[in-house]
Amino acid sequence: RAIFEALNADVVWDNNTKTVTGSKGSTTVVLKINSKTAQVNGKNTLLDVPATIVDGRTMVPARFIAESLGQKVGWAENLRTVLITD
């Protein structure tokens, strides 16, 4: 939720299907917990790692989410920080 909202996207959690859906503009991203396949605008995409639940929180691949929503992702080695920009 935090990643989608930080990127000004709407996010919906479906507890029955264990699916998170984020949308921004004309882009919709769908991830199912423990699946290495996600969808961007209905097209299947293979993930490096699946979305998972850890201590009751949904963890998603940040790079995949950011890039799917049109953002650039970088790494600041000296800060050990992921940078997400327009």
Side-chain angles (χ1 to χ4, degrees), residues 60-71:
V60 298
R63 176 179 292 277
F64 171 76
I65 299 298
E67 289 178 347
S68 294
L69 295 177
Q71 305 299 298

Side-chain angles (χ1 to χ4, degrees), residues 23-65:
S23 58
K24 180 178 180 181
S26 62
T27 303
T28 300
V29 179
V30 179
L31 297 106
K32 184 170 177 60
I33 298 302
N34 297 322
S35 175
K36 288 187 78 172
T37 302
Q39 290 186 344
V40 179
N41 293 335
K43 182 180 176 184
N44 286 344
T45 304
L46 187 61
L47 301 171
D48 292 332
V49 295
T52 60
I53 297 176
V54 177
D55 295 329
R57 299 182 71 80
T58 302
M59 302 294 169
V60 298
R63 176 179 292 277
F64 171 76
I65 299 298

Side-chain angles (χ1 to χ4, degrees), residues 1 9 14 16 20 22 24 31 37-38 40 42 47 60 66 78 83-84:
R1 179 172 299 278
D14 184 330
N16 292 326
V20 60
K24 180 178 180 181
L31 297 106
T37 302
V40 179
L47 301 171
V60 298
N78 59 328
L83 304 172
I84 299 174

